[in-house]
Amino acid sequence: MCPSPSRPASSETKRQPVRVVACPTCGKPVKWAPESRWRPFCCERCKLIDLGEWLSDPDEKET
Ligand SMILES: [Zn+2]
């Protein structure tokens, strides 16, 4: 007989709290769910803004 720590198999479904992340562009809370199609951004616009900033090199040293 081996006394294994048998945990009571809970039949209840674990409720996962909806994860919320902050939009990298505007900081708005974004639900990390399939319905948030622009996650981690709150909307398409924020995603485009972020992409735009990434594409435009802030280090312009051309004179
Ligand atoms: Zn946003």
Side-chain angles (χ1 to χ4, degrees):
M1 221 167 101
C2 47
S4 55
S6 55
R7 286 187 185 173
S10 53
S11 52
E12 357 172 352
T13 36
K14 248 193 188 174
R15 259 210 191 171
Q16 282 193 327
V18 181
R19 203 174 148 200
V20 175
V21 297
C23 172
T25 304
C26 69
K28 258 191 354 191
V30 184
K31 247 204 256 177
W32 197 270
E35 68 207 59
S36 310
R37 58 182 295 200
W38 303 112
R39 65 188 190 272
F41 304 93
C42 68
C43 58
E44 185 183 13
R45 210 179 135 210
C46 279
K47 188 179 183 169
L48 290 177
I49 289 172
D50 190 80
L51 271 179
E53 284 185 6
W54 182 74
L55 286 174
S56 63
D57 195 3
D59 202 68
E60 287 174 43
K61 276 181 185 169
E62 271 185 68
T63 326

